[in-house]
């Protein structure tokens, strides 16, 4: 990775509300044109999970969901709608913790997160929005379209706001990536005094995700696409590289 | 918090190697002058833990450390220098996990992190560098000096690269803060469809820390001071606000 001494991070203006079936790359290209912005090589286009899920039709009508007995039981512990819990279970490979208001799971994508990332905010009516089926794949597809449409070799990331052990508050976190070395491995590099760094691997994509999240907002800001310029993470990583394998994890 | 539609993040050039007793705020003011930069209201000045610790004389000569029997025992499990383990234990309120290469503790500051944040990189000779005694206090002191020296009402953060449960790689994380609302509480705010957000609290300062970390590097880059412009987090929070109280934590 090379980094210049300054970063610019800007939100695309005028991205319309996204509907199922929308061509997200097309909307991004139109917004770029509208605000007179051009993508450059090594730009990272960061997209909120919510609009990817919407475009991919990942909304589920809660009226069509019949909770299983297990979902009903966990819903009682978690004080949640059993239909939402049914969806959480269907999206997860393991339930790690259940407390009033929250179910911490390992999502089928390998992410450890609350309520399987299922979201009812910024969603109309009795609909729950699931994470994209394959966020790394979605990022790759959008990236190819953006490269074709602009000629710039950009990276693409899909991010969500995810809670953490030990610390209050969510932060923007990578759930899909394409064309990005998501991890920086500094092991073996010399420090200022020539001593080799021993254990430093940096979750660089997650640092980009957190930075972009500052401009996305969470509520009615409606700026789901942010461009990060000045960090060159060009490479072949995916969001999966950021997942610590279960057998190496000390905190489950 | 208000956020503009673009952020600028820049590293200060020419900050010299920091020595014990150095006036860090003075060095920052000199670097700003050297590179013709001016601080503005709401800028957040983000400083690497390492230089704060160095300036505050938090280096410990390992030759002067006598490990306790408990340190020797844990050092054997962790395959670490018993003298380093002695320092880790002295800096910690609780040992959470011990594995070869790593000791996860609750630091006396409340942070959960590996090896109590004790670092031997970028440190000369047989010296280990401890975290600042009171990073929130250090941030406050530096902030007052920067405001006095520039007239700009800035915030100050001190950050370190910290590992996480479930995910690979460290990311820049807040360990000290002054003049910043470190958490954004969005609960009760309407979303795009007027539905109230239920649980959204954002660890905004940690997003700033991660963003700034992208420009700091870890090895020989020597850019320990970064300015984040365009995120208004003005407020009265501290890094402690980001610590989840132990009794509310599900993953210890």
């Amino acid at each position: 990775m090379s980094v210049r001494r300054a970063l610019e991070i800007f939100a695309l203006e005028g991205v319309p509300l996204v509907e199922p079936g929308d061509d997200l790359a097309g909307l991004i290209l139109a917004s770029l044109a509208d605000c007179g912005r051009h993508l450059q090589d090594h730009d990272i286009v960061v997209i909120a999970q919510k609009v990817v899920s919407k475009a991919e039709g990942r909304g589920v009508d809660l009226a069509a969901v019949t909770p299983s007995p297990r979902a009903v039981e966990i819903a009682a512990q978690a004080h949640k709608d059993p239909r939402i819990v049914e969806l959480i279970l269907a999206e997860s490979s393991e339930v790690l913790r259940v407390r009033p208001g929250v179910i911490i799971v390992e999502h089928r994508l390998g992410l450890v997160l609350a309520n399987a990332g299922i979201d009812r905010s910024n969603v109309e009516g009795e609909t729950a929005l699931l994470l994209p089926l394959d966020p790394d794949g979605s990022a790759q597809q959008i990236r190819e379209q953006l490269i074709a449409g602009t000629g710039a070799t950009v990276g693409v990331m899909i991010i969500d706001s995810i809670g953490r052990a030990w610390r209050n508050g969510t932060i923007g976190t990578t759930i899909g990536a394409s064309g990005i070395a998501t991890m920086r491995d500094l092991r073996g590099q010399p420090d200022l005094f020539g001593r080799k760094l021993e254990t430093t691997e940096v979750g660089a994509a997650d640092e980009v995700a957190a930075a972009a999240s500052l401009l996305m907002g969470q509520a009615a800001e409606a700026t789901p696409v942010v461009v990060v310029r000045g960090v060159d993470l060009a490479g072949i990583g995916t969001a999966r590289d950021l997942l610590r394998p279960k057998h190496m994890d000390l905190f489950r």
Side-chain angles (χ1 to χ4, degrees), chain A residues 163-185:
Chain A
R164 306 165 290 169
W166 318 318
R167 296 183 72 75
N168 289 323
T170 62
I171 69 172
T173 304
T174 314
I175 71 164
S178 177
I180 293 169
T182 44
M183 295 282 298
R184 291 171 67 193
D185 187 349

Side-chain angles (χ1 to χ4, degrees), chain A residues 2-229:
Chain A
S2 68
V3 163
R4 297 198 292 255
R5 292 303 169 95
L7 303 185
E8 184 193 6
I9 307 181
F10 58 90
L12 291 193
E13 312 267 357
V15 178
L17 281 180
V18 172
E19 304 287 342
D22 278 353
D23 167 19
L24 211 44
L27 295 178
I28 292 170
L29 292 168
S31 297
L32 283 164
D34 283 351
C35 56
R37 287 282 197 173
H38 298 275
L39 295 182
Q40 301 177 1
D41 288 350
H42 309 307
D43 281 355
I44 303 174
V45 178
V46 185
I47 308 171
Q49 162 269 323
K50 195 164 299 189
V51 297
V52 178
S53 289
K54 280 187 186 173
E56 294 181 356
R58 297 285 291 155
V60 176
D61 180 1
L62 288 179
V65 176
T66 306
S68 66
R70 184 170 176 236
V72 171
E73 184 188 331
I74 292 176
Q77 296 171 43
H79 305 175
K80 283 186 162 292
D81 183 329
R83 301 170 301 172
I84 294 278
V85 175
E86 177 65 29
L87 295 174
I88 292 171
L89 295 178
E91 284 282 282
S92 302
S93 51
E94 188 180 350
V95 174
L96 301 182
R97 300 284 189 281
V98 178
R99 294 291 185 282
V102 68
I103 301 171
I104 311 285
V105 301
E106 180 182 295
H107 190 274
R108 60 177 169 74
L109 294 168
L111 299 155
V112 174
L113 78 183
N115 306 322
I118 294 174
D119 196 347
R120 295 184 64 190
S121 60
N122 289 328
V123 174
E124 276 179 294
E126 287 283 279
T127 303
L129 195 62
L130 312 184
L131 295 191
L133 267 183
D134 172 17
D136 280 330
S138 303
Q140 187 185 343
Q141 189 176 22
I142 293 167
R143 177 172 182 258
E144 287 167 2
Q145 292 174 267
L146 292 179
I147 291 173
T150 65
T153 305
V154 300
V156 169
M157 290 175 39
I158 298 167
I159 73 170
D160 198 4
S161 294
I162 292 182
R164 306 165 290 169
W166 318 318
R167 296 183 72 75
N168 289 323
T170 62
I171 69 172
T173 304
T174 314
I175 71 164
S178 177
I180 293 169
T182 44
M183 295 282 298
R184 291 171 67 193
D185 187 349
L186 303 179
R187 287 174 296 187
Q189 287 192 32
D191 70 12
L192 285 169
F193 299 98
R195 186 197 300 277
K196 282 189 179 169
L197 296 172
E198 285 170 15
T199 58
T200 307
E201 286 188 288
V202 179
D206 277 346
E207 294 189 327
V208 171
S213 180
L214 285 164
L215 279 188
M216 279 187 186
Q218 295 289 311
E221 294 91 342
T223 51
V225 183
V226 166
V227 178
V228 177
R229 177 169 294 166

